Amino acid sequence: MTRKLLKKRGKKIGAAPGTLIHVGEKSEAAPRIHVFDYDQEHLDQREYPDAASCLALRDTDTISWINVEGLHQVKVIETLGQGFGLHPLVLEDILNTDQRPKVEIYDDYIFIVVKMLIYDTEHEGVRTEQVSFVLGNNFVISFQECHGDVFDGVRERLRSGRRIRFLGPDYLTYALIDAIVDSHFFILEKIGDEIEQLEDELLDDPSPESLNQIHRLRREMILLRKSVWPLRELISELGREETPMVSRETAVFLRDVYDHCIQVIDTVETFRDLLGGMLDLYMSNVSNRMNEIMKVLTLIATIFIPLTFIAGVYGMNFEYMPELAWKWAYPAVWGIMIGLGIGLVFFFKKKNWL
């Protein structure tokens, strides 16, 4: 399965700024809205039927995590955006799922775009999904392209009443970003196993399928690099102490995520170098195999050149050829040809050409 590096924009081209057009894969399923509304003592977890029913959460004393799965129905995003006072350009960026990871700081909220990577075990590849976060004073809204994510650990921590329930929405945002970064390590472990197996195949018996695997993995590395490099800048900006709505305590945790992000980047660059070397190794092995084939064919042709010459001389239809009347001419020619062939073989072996 080949994944596109750029998504088709279609009607998006030439539209006015703030025009709400979904850019990404279409889905027939209705968007799902899951809400965790909590404080230190209580937790309310439910699925809301529509976007309008979530608007009252903006003015509560509790902290609310509103998770929207599915962006193809623009009306849902527009209703949430108007209810929580989001800028039209923010809504446009949420719907445009080909965004570069970034952070934008507004007066009363922070807008964050990241790429969530999920390992597709069925196709043995990486699936990239855009996740947008809106961090407010008492809420976090996350927008996902489709169902399925890496946030189960965060949900479990909320249910169990751990530290996350005693801190603000900025810490919740940190926990969600940290889950995304940690998932990169799992993906890199899977890719690392594939690279090791592929390297053994290249050394033993390279095949055209090995070349396809190399190209697929190099493509995955491009997607990973596009997702991780901007994420480093994003986390660095969020971790600055002067960033509003991010407490000093949360900034310390964000710096830890920054370190993890650097580790991911180093691993991605290492894998890219390995795959580049493996491509050179494959081409070298194929070239060496072709050279061996050509060497054998050349030696065989070289042995038969003098034999063909002799056969050609005595195959001429001249009437007066003294050897033709000789009784032992036929076995003599055979002896010369066999001896010449054997002599060439020994000569090639002496030169280590065979």
Side-chain angles (χ1 to χ4, degrees), residues 67-71 129-131 142-146 148-149 151:
N67 185 41
V68 180
E69 297 178 349
L71 306 178
E129 178 182 344
Q130 177 171 301
V131 180
S142 56
F143 298 90
Q144 302 177 202
E145 293 186 56
C146 54
D149 52 42
F151 301 143

Side-chain angles (χ1 to χ4, degrees), residues 310 314 321-337:
I310 295 174
Y314 289 100
M321 294 183 70
E323 295 87 349
L324 297 180
W326 184 37
K327 179 181 179 181
W328 302 102
Y330 179 73
V333 170
W334 266 111
I336 292 171
M337 293 174 67

Side-chain angles (χ1 to χ4, degrees), residues 219-269:
R219 192 180 183 91
E220 302 289 3
M221 288 300 103
I222 292 174
L223 291 173
L224 279 165
R225 195 172 189 273
K226 284 182 62 178
S227 302
V228 176
W229 272 92
L231 184 60
R232 180 186 64 171
E233 303 169 9
L234 181 155
I235 296 172
S236 177
E237 186 169 353
L238 277 178
R240 295 174 185 169
E241 294 184 0
E242 63 269 16
T243 305
M245 287 178 288
V246 177
S247 65
R248 181 175 299 181
E249 183 178 3
T250 302
V252 174
F253 290 102
L254 285 170
R255 287 194 288 272
D256 181 65
V257 179
Y258 180 85
D259 293 338
H260 293 169
C261 191
I262 294 298
Q263 294 178 32
V264 172
I265 291 173
D266 289 343
T267 306
V268 169
E269 294 302 317

